[in-house]
Amino acid sequence: MQCFIYKSLKKDELYLYLDKKDDFSAVPEALFKSLGRLTFVMELQLSPDRKLARENPEKVIASLQSKGFFVQLPPTLISAMSASLDKQLH
């Protein structure tokens, strides 16, 4: 699956994957605004066996197919969210 990756200039290490280049119409307006300015980083051919630095490719593909986009959060934000959820669940 072909995807197009954009980097947020507002939030370090936050990336937006799209199924169509420069087509942000699938991204909810509030989310799109929260990302700040975006810059195109690369075009990538995704497959389930393709290694990605921080994400499971199957998860990215599923999101692209169902929503038309995928947001890769910075690792520090993921850790903070995970810790917060853990506290809420226990």
Side-chain angles (χ1 to χ4, degrees), residues 2-33:
Q2 201 69 16
C3 75
F4 305 89
I5 305 171
Y6 298 80
K7 179 179 181 169
S8 170
L9 299 178
K10 180 179 177 182
K11 299 181 181 185
D12 195 32
E13 296 187 60
L14 190 145
Y15 295 89
L16 175 67
Y17 293 62
L18 294 177
D19 64 347
K20 297 179 189 105
K21 188 171 184 180
D22 298 331
D23 182 359
F24 301 95
S25 62
V27 183
E29 187 177 347
L31 172 60
F32 184 71
K33 286 181 179 180

Side-chain angles (χ1 to χ4, degrees), residues 6-78:
Y6 298 80
K7 179 179 181 169
S8 170
L9 299 178
K10 180 179 177 182
K11 299 181 181 185
D12 195 32
E13 296 187 60
L14 190 145
Y15 295 89
L16 175 67
Y17 293 62
L18 294 177
D19 64 347
K20 297 179 189 105
K21 188 171 184 180
D22 298 331
D23 182 359
F24 301 95
S25 62
V27 183
E29 187 177 347
L31 172 60
F32 184 71
K33 286 181 179 180
S34 75
L35 299 174
R37 217 168 113 228
L38 297 167
T39 186
F40 179 72
V41 178
M42 74 171 84
E43 182 175 341
L44 190 64
Q45 183 65 36
L46 282 178
S47 65
D49 57 328
R50 168 112 193 192
K51 282 278 203 186
L52 296 176
R54 292 197 182 119
E55 294 296 340
N56 176 329
E58 291 177 0
K59 183 174 148 184
V60 176
I61 291 168
S63 181
L64 288 170
Q65 289 174 335
S66 65
K67 299 177 189 173
F69 71 94
F70 176 82
V71 177
Q72 178 179 306
L73 298 173
T76 53
L77 188 54
I78 293 170

